[in-house]
């Protein structure tokens, strides 16, 4: 797709033109003329891309490819100029960062005035070289335009409705996965899962059907139903990526199971791995078998599984005749394992396409929401058209609804329907499924605004069927230059808006969001993912590989590798055009990181001088090459390396770096040069670093996680250590001591924009609740002892004004008293409260009348707690209650019986309390008998 290539170059040209007064001098006219030519081509190429997909036109395909190649050549010329200019500046002293990096204008202009007299002569050759290359590119564009006329490639403007900006008819998050028409399948599935009397042994339940028929949606609905949640002690859901290993499947099931068991660190076991020695599949298998023994479990496997892998899974799960179930969600080709089930097996539940009535019902809900509907005079017409176009395939219905959600009735709807109906009987060559579904996906993609096309195609670089972290994705978009600045919003907020629009258009599925409306995880349907990969491959946007032999051409610009096998990946050839590398390698867990790439194998990056993004997960790497510092274009550096021992000192030369994300390393801190903390473009730092006494001018810094304030020692700190990072939104500090208290309080007093805060250490200052600057704080986690200050009643009530937006609070080991809890009860927005081991000091805990009025989720893990008293007017909105290892608690509060909003009660390792809530004779049963979901695990 040439449109994305031209969009990228236009953004880069705009940056360079804005910088012209300082750098380009007389070459500015050539660059502006190139921009004008590209803008004209941009209007033509959008239509050409659409026509290329609709019909097999070789002339159009050649014209699109040639235009794209010239756009790439223009990008290379501009990047080469910026790279060479940056290297000369670096050798001759401080200079401004490259344009478009988010640095403050005044800073780089001041630096430019210091640098310019020393290097003006050296810029002449660079300017002349760029000017010559730009003129040659313009000449080629003129020739391509002449060929378009010679071969009669006419411009047919896109339909008037394309990329319309009409108001959507339903909110972006009003898109619940409705199982319309699946009532009978849902009943069949529940019957097979709960049928313990007829089939007490472990049984295999299978759901089959063609791709995008709704198998996963059906299974997820039943999996989350109250009946199923009450019936099974442990539930796990595993999505099988292509070429997945048996050990990875077992490890994922084991991780989910042990997290539900909530093993305590006091037992000598890690809460994540349940204490298993994750050195191989055999140990994982044994540990999984032990943890599942004595418990009724439900294991869902979503995807095609080989017979050998099925045998490995079957051997790792006990069969104790207690009604445990394994559910396989797959297509007809994946049913081979049914013959090897080795135990009770139900007949497959085979899904068929929707009826005309159910097709329109799903369409209606997706466009208008749960209660809205199409106006009566249009209803019957669209009722028939939607079914004729989609033939009852749920994914096609959903994607078509996503297009029409932003279109006006009836004119634009009629144009969309007419185009799809006219193309319905035309032959179409496609690689990803039926022509009808492909046509709808193509139309939905063509309808995206320019900036969203690149954002959607970027999912081709992500693993198939796996949830994608939204924060990571948005940071990558920003680093790539896809996100356009908007006054009054950060780039990350604009990127969140892009993601929500893709969700609203049903091109992306929402997996999870937080209490503040921020998207935290998304996924792309496997069929849409295949479409994105095909489009990205055709457009040379992303080169994707999932095998062990990555034969990437030297001209590749973005390379994505997803490898989930035990074998090595060889990446040896030089990639001089490479801008982005995104890799997700096999990861054997914390005890055995992947060995897919060794540090010496990163030599292929040395020739990639234009790199902007390095994002590699599951990598065993002890050090990074010193040559990293020469890649001055890098905006995003993300590594998940458990063995990383040091960073090169040259990292401070990455003057355009926006995000540094280093995860997976356990213990200690990494050394980083002090000059790193002066990179003005830094926006996100997630790394185990020791903070210096004072940061540089990091006015763009928004995220600072994993750091320790070792430089904030007992000596007086000159000024505020975070005084020049006042735009911080998210801060996580560990290793805090009493000596850091003064500097920490001073720092918090300047962070007016902070919304997320985590403090961990041996001593935490109570001022975190009284500093008046943190009025926007929404999420707070405290791990460590905190002295409770003596406050009068007036000060306790005032907390409602000091922390009006605090929504989520988690406390571990803080040892606070009843007076502090009373203060927390006054917080007006507190919706989620967690008090875990050592958080509360006392044997009796009381929630007074009217306290915690907004609380929806409460988790208590207080082993020394004997009595929990709750007044009748407290926690009126409570929906979920979790009690963990409160073994001394004698009874449940009587007030629970009057909490009408309570939906779920979970008890972990509380055998005496389980006896008290039994339906027959339990003394506390009447208090929670109205609760739909009651889970007990011990």
């Amino acid at each position: 797709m040439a449109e994305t290539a031209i969009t990228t170059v236009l953004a880069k040209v705009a940056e360079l033109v804005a910088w012209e007064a300082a750098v380009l001098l007389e070459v500015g006219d050539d660059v502006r003329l190139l921009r004008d030519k590209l803008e004209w081509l941009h209007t033509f190429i959008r239509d050409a891309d659409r026509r290329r997909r609709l019909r097999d036109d070789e002339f159009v395909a050649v014209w699109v490819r040639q235009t794209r190649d010239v756009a790439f050549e223009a990008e290379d010329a501009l990047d080469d100029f910026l790279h060479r200019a940056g290297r000369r500046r670096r050798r001759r002293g401080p200079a401004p960062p490259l344009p478009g990096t988010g640095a403050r204008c005044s800073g780089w202009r001041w630096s430019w005035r210091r640098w310019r007299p020393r290097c003006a002569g050296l810029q002449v050759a660079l300017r002349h070289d760029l000017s010559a290359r730009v003129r040659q590119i313009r000449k080629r564009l003129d020739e391509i335009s002449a060929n378009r006329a010679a071969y009669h490639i006419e411009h047919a403007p896109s339909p008037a409705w394309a990329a319309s900006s009409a108001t959507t008819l339903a909110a972006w998050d009003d898109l619940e996965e409705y199982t319309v028409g699946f009532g009978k399948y849902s009943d069949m599935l529940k019957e097979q899962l709960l049928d313990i009397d007829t089939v007490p042994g472990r049984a295999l339940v299978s759901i089959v059907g063609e791709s995008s028929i709704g198998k996963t949606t059906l299974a997820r609905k039943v999996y989350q139903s109250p009946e199923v949640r009450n019936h099974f002690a442990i539930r796990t859901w595993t999505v099988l990526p292509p070429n997945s290993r048996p050990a990875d499947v077992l490890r994922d099931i084991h991780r989910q199971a042990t997290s539900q068991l909530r093993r305590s660190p006091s037992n000598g076991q890690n809460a994540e791995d349940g204490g298993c020695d994750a050195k191989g599949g055999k140990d994982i298998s044994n540990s999984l078998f032990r943890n599942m023994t004595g418990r009724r479990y439900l294991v869902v496997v979503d995807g095609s599984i080989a017979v050998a892998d099925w045998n490995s899974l079957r051997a790792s799960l006990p069969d104790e005749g207690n009604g445990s179930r394994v559910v396989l969600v797959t297509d007809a080709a994946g049913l081979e394992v049914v013959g090897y089930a080795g135990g009770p097996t139900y007949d497959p539940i085979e899904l068929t396409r929707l009826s005309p009535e159910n097709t329109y019902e799903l369409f209606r809900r997706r466009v208008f929401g749960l209660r809205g509907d199409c106006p009566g005079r249009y209803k019957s017409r669209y009722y028939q058209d939607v079914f004729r176009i989609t033939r009852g395939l749920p994914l096609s219905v959903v994607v078509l609804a996503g297009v029409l959600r932003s279109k006006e009735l009836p004119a634009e709807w009629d144009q969309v329907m007419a185009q799809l109906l006219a193309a319905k009987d035309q032959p179409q060559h496609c690689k990803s499924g039926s022509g009808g579904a492909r046509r709808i996906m193509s139309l939905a993609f063509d309808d995206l605004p320019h900036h969203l096309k690149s954002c959607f195609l970027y999912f081709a670089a992500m693993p198939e069927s796996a949830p994608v972290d939204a924060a990571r994705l948005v940071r990558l978009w920003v680093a790539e230059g896809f996100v356009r600045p908007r006054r009054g919003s950060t780039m990350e907020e604009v990127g969140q808006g892009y993601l929500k629009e893709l969700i609203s258009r049903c091109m992306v599925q929402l997996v999870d969001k937080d209490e503040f409306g921020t998207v935290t995880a998304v996924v792309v349907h496997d069929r849409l993912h295949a479409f994105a990969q095909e489009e990205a491959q055709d457009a040379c946007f992303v080169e994707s590989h999932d095998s062990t032999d990555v034969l990437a051409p030297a001209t590749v610009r973005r390379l994505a590798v997803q490898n989930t096998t035990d074998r090595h990946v060889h990446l040896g050839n030089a990639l001089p055009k490479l801008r982005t590398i995104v890799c997700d390698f096999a990861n054997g867990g914390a005890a055995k990181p992947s060995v897919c790439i060794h540090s010496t194998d990163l030599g292929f990056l040395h020739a990639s001088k234009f790199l902007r993004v390095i994002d590699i997960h599951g990598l065993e790497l002890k050090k990074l090459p010193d040559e990293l510092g020469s890649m001055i274009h890098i905006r995003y550096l993300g590594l998940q390396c458990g063995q990383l021992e040091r960073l090169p000192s040259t990292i401070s030369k990455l003057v355009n770096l926006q995000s540094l994300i280093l995860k997976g390393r356990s213990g200690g801190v990494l050394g980083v040069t002090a000059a790193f903390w002066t990179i003005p473009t830094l926006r996100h730092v997630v790394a185990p670093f020791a903070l210096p006494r004072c940061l540089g001018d990091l006015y763009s810094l928004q995220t600072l996680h994993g750091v320790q304030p070792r430089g904030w020692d007992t000596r007086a700190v000159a000024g505020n250590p975070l005084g020049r990072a006042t735009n911080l939104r998210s801060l996580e500090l560990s290793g805090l001591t009493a000596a850091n208290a003064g500097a920490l309080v001073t720092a918090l007093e300047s962070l007016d924009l902070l919304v997320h805060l985590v403090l961990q250490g041996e001593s935490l200052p109570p001022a975190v609740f009284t500093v008046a600057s943190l009025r926007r704080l929404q999420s707070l986690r405290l791990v460590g002892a905190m002295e409770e200050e003596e406050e009068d009643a007036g000060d306790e009530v005032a907390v409602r004004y000091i922390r009006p937006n605090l929504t989520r609070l988690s406390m571990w080991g803080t040892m606070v008293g009843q007076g502090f809890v009373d203060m927390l009860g006054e917080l007006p927005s507190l919706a989620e409260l967690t008090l875990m081991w050592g958080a509360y000091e006392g044997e009796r805990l009381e929630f007074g009348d009217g306290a915690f009025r907004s609380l929806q989720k409460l988790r208590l893990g207080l082993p020394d707690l004997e009595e929990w008293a709750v007044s009748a007017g407290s926690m009126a909105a409570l929906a979920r209650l979790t009690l963990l290892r409160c073994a001394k608690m004698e009874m449940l509060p009587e007030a629970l019986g009057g909490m009408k909003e309570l939906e779920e009660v979970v008890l972990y390792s509380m055998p005496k309390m389980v006896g008290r809530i039994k339906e027959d004779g339990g003394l506390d049963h009447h208090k929670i008998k109205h609760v739909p979901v009651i889970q007990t695990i011990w």
Side-chain angles (χ1 to χ4, degrees):
M1 191 187 72
E3 182 184 353
T4 56
I6 294 180
T7 300
T8 299
V9 179
L10 282 173
K12 197 156 295 185
V13 169
E15 294 174 358
L16 212 52
V17 169
W19 215 34
E20 174 202 343
V23 177
L24 291 183
L25 301 180
E26 69 270 12
V27 84
D29 288 337
D30 290 325
V31 174
R32 278 194 296 270
L33 289 173
L34 174 63
R35 177 195 61 188
D36 295 342
K37 186 69 176 179
L38 288 172
E39 285 177 343
W40 278 107
L41 273 176
H42 197 248
T43 62
F44 284 80
I45 208 70
R46 176 186 175 92
D47 170 63
D49 267 327
R50 179 176 60 87
R51 291 165 61 194
R52 175 181 58 82
R53 279 187 290 272
L54 289 177
R55 65 171 184 261
D56 189 11
D57 191 327
E58 188 63 26
F59 288 122
V60 172
V62 170
W63 184 66
V64 168
R65 189 188 71 247
Q66 291 181 351
T67 304
R68 180 197 64 216
D69 291 344
V70 177
F72 285 159
E73 187 178 341
E75 184 183 17
D76 290 343
L78 297 175
D79 280 343
D80 185 57
F81 172 82
L82 293 171
H83 181 78
R84 293 162 65 189
R87 292 187 66 181
R88 292 190 177 185
R89 285 199 306 271
R90 193 176 61 198
R91 288 197 297 265
R92 293 185 168 270
L98 299 183
T101 61
R104 290 171 64 92
C105 236
S106 58
W108 69 257
R109 284 177 180 167
W110 178 82
S111 298
W112 172 259
R113 287 195 295 268
R114 295 178 56 197
W115 171 75
R116 182 177 177 181
R118 293 179 289 174
C119 66
L122 295 175
Q123 288 292 303
V124 175
L126 289 180
R127 294 200 308 268
H128 287 174
D129 181 60
L130 177 60
S131 181
R133 295 180 69 176
V134 167
R135 289 171 185 169
Q136 185 64 29
I137 291 167
R138 284 170 46 209
K139 182 179 178 181
R140 286 198 59 193
L141 289 175
D142 290 337
E143 293 172 352
I144 291 173
S145 296
N147 288 335
R148 182 182 62 82
Y151 291 103
H152 306 290
I153 302 174
E154 300 296 333
H155 173 47
S158 299
W161 50 264
S164 169
S165 59
T167 304
T168 52
L169 300 174
W172 69 272
D173 54 352
D174 186 22
L175 298 175
E176 182 184 355
E177 291 288 350
Y178 300 106
T179 52
V180 175
F182 288 167
K184 63 177 181 179
Y185 301 123
S186 178
D187 293 341
M188 292 170 59
L189 182 56
K190 287 182 180 179
E191 181 180 352
Q192 294 181 8
L193 294 180
L194 307 178
D195 184 21
I196 188 173
D197 295 329
T198 306
V199 184
R202 182 194 63 202
L204 175 65
V205 177
S206 53
I207 306 172
V208 300
E210 65 178 299
S211 175
S212 65
I213 197 70
K215 304 183 295 294
T216 299
T217 301
L218 168 66
R220 181 69 70 179
K221 277 289 185 180
V222 175
Y223 180 84
Q224 296 174 342
S225 66
E227 304 97 308
V228 170
R229 290 160 66 189
N230 277 327
H231 188 72
F232 295 98
I234 296 178
R235 297 176 304 125
T236 70
W237 184 294
T238 298
V239 178
L240 295 184
N243 304 317
S244 58
R245 304 178 300 175
D248 289 335
V249 176
L250 297 180
R251 188 173 290 108
D252 185 58
I253 297 173
H254 181 269
R255 177 187 57 80
Q256 295 182 57
T258 51
S259 68
Q260 294 177 46
L261 294 176
R262 290 295 192 275
R263 294 192 178 275
S264 169
S266 62
N267 292 339
Q269 294 179 320
N270 185 282
E272 291 297 322
D273 61 21
C276 75
D277 182 12
K279 293 182 179 179
K282 182 178 179 181
D283 296 323
I284 286 288
S285 178
N286 291 338
S287 182
L288 178 60
F289 191 95
R290 289 195 303 268
N291 285 338
M292 292 294 202
T293 299
R295 299 178 173 91
R296 183 186 298 153
Y297 58 81
L298 170 63
V299 172
V300 181
V301 179
D302 189 355
S304 296
I305 185 171
V307 172
D309 296 345
W310 164 251
N311 289 334
S312 174
L313 174 60
R314 183 181 63 179
S316 305
L317 298 174
D319 184 1
E320 302 176 290
N322 60 1
S324 295
R325 296 289 185 264
V326 178
V327 177
L328 179 61
V329 183
T330 185
D331 54 21
L335 278 181
E336 184 182 4
V337 301
V338 174
Y340 298 86
T345 303
Y346 288 96
D347 292 334
I349 300 174
E350 186 171 1
L351 273 61
T352 59
R353 295 198 177 197
L354 299 175
S355 66
E357 293 80 6
N358 288 328
T359 295
Y360 183 78
E361 178 63 14
L362 176 60
F363 174 80
R364 178 192 68 79
R365 293 188 180 187
R366 277 287 179 163
V367 176
F368 300 98
L370 185 60
R371 296 178 177 81
D373 201 354
C374 182
R377 61 183 181 277
Y378 305 117
K379 183 174 180 178
S380 60
R381 186 206 317 172
Y382 297 135
Y383 181 104
Q384 300 173 16
D385 288 347
V386 170
F387 184 75
R388 288 174 59 195
I389 292 169
T390 65
R391 291 298 178 187
L393 189 64
L395 179 63
S396 295
V397 176
V398 166
V399 175
L400 177 59
V403 174
L404 294 177
R405 276 166 59 86
S406 60
K407 300 291 172 278
E408 294 182 356
L409 270 165
E412 291 181 336
W413 279 43
D414 289 342
Q415 293 178 45
V416 173
M417 297 291 193
Q419 178 178 327
L420 289 172
L421 288 171
K424 178 174 174 292
D425 299 323
Q426 295 179 2
Q428 181 173 355
H429 305 285
C430 61
K431 311 170 195 173
S432 59
S434 65
R438 171 75 188 207
R439 275 189 295 270
I440 296 173
M441 288 187 285
S442 295
L443 181 140
F445 179 72
D446 288 330
D447 188 52
L448 292 175
H450 305 310
H451 57 281
L452 289 186
K453 282 187 169 71
S454 297
C455 293
F456 174 73
L457 288 184
Y458 212 75
F459 281 98
M462 302 291 119
E464 178 184 343
S465 302
V468 178
D469 179 73
R472 171 195 177 195
L473 184 64
V474 169
R475 290 169 187 170
L476 288 168
W477 286 351
V478 172
E480 293 279 5
F482 299 158
V483 179
R484 300 174 179 176
R486 182 187 300 160
R487 179 173 295 184
S489 300
T490 66
M491 299 288 273
E492 289 72 16
E493 290 169 345
V494 176
Q496 269 280 324
Y498 289 3
L499 196 52
K500 291 176 180 179
E501 186 170 356
L502 287 172
I503 295 171
S504 176
R505 290 171 174 268
C506 302
M507 301 293 283
V508 173
Q509 295 176 329
L510 176 66
V511 174
D512 199 12
K513 64 177 181 176
D514 62 20
E515 295 87 347
F516 320 114
T518 301
V519 179
T520 57
V522 295
V523 70
V524 174
H525 190 278
D526 56 0
R527 207 155 175 178
L528 279 165
H529 187 270
F531 172 83
Q533 285 196 325
E534 292 170 17
E535 284 295 315
Q537 185 82 16
D538 290 343
C540 297
F541 184 84
V542 174
E543 183 92 13
S544 299
H545 296 270
D546 58 8
S547 65
T548 56
D549 295 318
V550 180
L551 302 176
T555 56
V556 67
R557 308 179 85 78
R558 293 187 182 91
L559 176 63
V561 182
Q562 289 91 37
N563 186 282
T564 54
T565 68
D566 281 317
R567 293 167 289 178
H568 293 261
V569 174
H570 178 67
L571 293 168
N573 56 310
L575 303 172
K577 305 292 186 181
L578 192 66
R579 265 72 175 178
T580 297
I581 179 167
V582 177
C583 300
D584 286 273
F585 294 117
N587 194 339
K592 183 188 176 186
S594 168
V595 291
C596 288
I597 280 189
H598 298 289
S599 59
T600 55
D601 293 330
L602 289 181
F604 75 97
L605 292 181
H606 298 169
S608 306
K609 62 182 181 181
F610 298 146
L611 267 171
R612 294 172 66 100
V613 170
I614 300 176
D615 188 31
I616 304 178
H617 286 214
L619 180 69
E620 179 164 328
L621 192 65
K622 292 188 177 181
K623 64 179 181 178
L624 298 178
D626 291 335
E627 291 81 358
L628 186 73
S630 65
M631 303 174 187
I632 61 173
H633 289 280
I634 290 182
R635 269 75 167 164
Y636 185 103
L637 177 58
L639 298 171
Q640 188 166 342
C641 307
Q643 305 300 312
L644 193 63
E645 294 178 353
R646 71 176 183 87
L647 296 175
S649 59
T650 55
I651 196 171
S652 61
K653 297 179 180 180
L654 302 180
V655 295
N656 300 295
L657 187 65
Q658 297 175 354
S659 298
L660 178 64
I661 314 295
L662 301 178
K663 293 183 177 181
R665 189 176 185 275
S666 58
V669 297
L670 281 174
V672 64
T673 176
F676 170 81
W677 299 106
T678 64
I679 299 176
T681 55
L682 284 177
R683 304 177 70 85
H684 309 282
V685 176
V686 180
F689 290 161
L691 285 176
R693 287 193 178 188
C694 187
L695 301 184
D697 293 330
L698 301 184
Y699 295 107
S700 297
L701 189 64
Q702 298 181 32
T703 304
L704 188 58
H705 288 183
V707 295
Q708 298 186 19
R710 293 192 175 184
W712 302 357
D713 54 25
T714 55
R715 291 169 293 181
V717 176
N720 182 351
L722 300 180
R724 286 178 283 184
T726 54
N727 284 310
L728 268 177
R729 265 72 169 176
S730 185
L731 175 63
E732 295 187 2
L733 295 173
S734 61
L736 290 165
T737 66
N740 305 140
L744 176 59
V745 174
T746 301
L748 294 178
E749 288 175 346
S750 65
L751 302 180
D752 293 325
L753 301 180
L754 203 66
V755 297
H756 171 76
L757 177 62
V758 174
L759 300 178
Q760 182 174 357
E762 63 183 41
S763 179
L764 307 180
V768 69
F769 285 95
T770 58
V771 173
S773 59
L774 303 180
R775 295 185 184 275
R776 298 191 182 188
L777 193 65
Q778 298 176 345
S779 174
L780 176 61
R781 178 181 172 91
L782 302 173
V783 182
M786 183 174 65
E787 295 184 5
E788 184 178 2
E789 292 182 339
E790 294 294 332
E791 303 283 354
D792 58 34
D795 289 334
E796 292 177 2
V797 174
V799 74
R800 72 177 67 178
Y801 306 110
I802 299 175
R803 297 291 174 268
N805 295 298
L806 189 60
T807 306
R808 186 189 303 129
L809 174 62
S810 177
M811 302 173 68
W812 298 64
T814 50
M815 299 299 289
V816 299
Q818 181 63 52
F820 198 93
V821 173
D822 293 340
M823 180 190 71
L824 298 181
E826 297 291 334
L827 293 171
S829 302
L830 189 63
E832 183 175 339
L833 175 63
T834 298
L835 300 177
M836 301 297 286
W837 287 271
Y840 179 75
E841 184 178 26
E843 299 175 349
R844 186 179 189 275
L845 176 65
E846 182 177 355
F847 286 2
D849 187 25
F852 300 104
R853 62 193 66 185
S854 299
L855 196 65
Q856 299 176 17
K857 300 178 183 179
L858 175 64
R859 298 172 71 241
L860 296 179
L862 304 173
D864 295 329
L865 186 65
E866 298 180 2
E867 181 183 358
W868 179 31
V870 178
S871 299
S874 179
M875 299 189 298
L878 189 67
R880 296 181 182 178
L881 171 64
T882 302
L883 301 177
L884 299 93
R885 300 183 183 275
C886 299
K888 295 183 179 180
M889 186 182 294
E890 297 293 334
M891 65 181 67
L892 292 177
E894 192 72 34
L896 294 180
M899 296 182 183
K900 304 303 181 183
E901 302 297 323
L902 194 58
E903 300 174 354
E904 181 180 61
V905 173
V906 182
L907 304 178
Y908 287 100
S909 297
M910 297 180 61
K912 289 195 302 183
M913 191 62 67
V914 170
R916 292 184 63 89
I917 65 172
K918 285 184 177 179
E919 187 172 357
D920 297 328
L923 297 178
D924 284 348
H925 174 69
H926 67 283
K927 302 175 184 178
I928 58 172
K929 64 180 181 181
H930 64 291
V931 180
V933 177
I934 301 174
Q935 289 185 294
T936 59
I937 301 176
W938 66 90

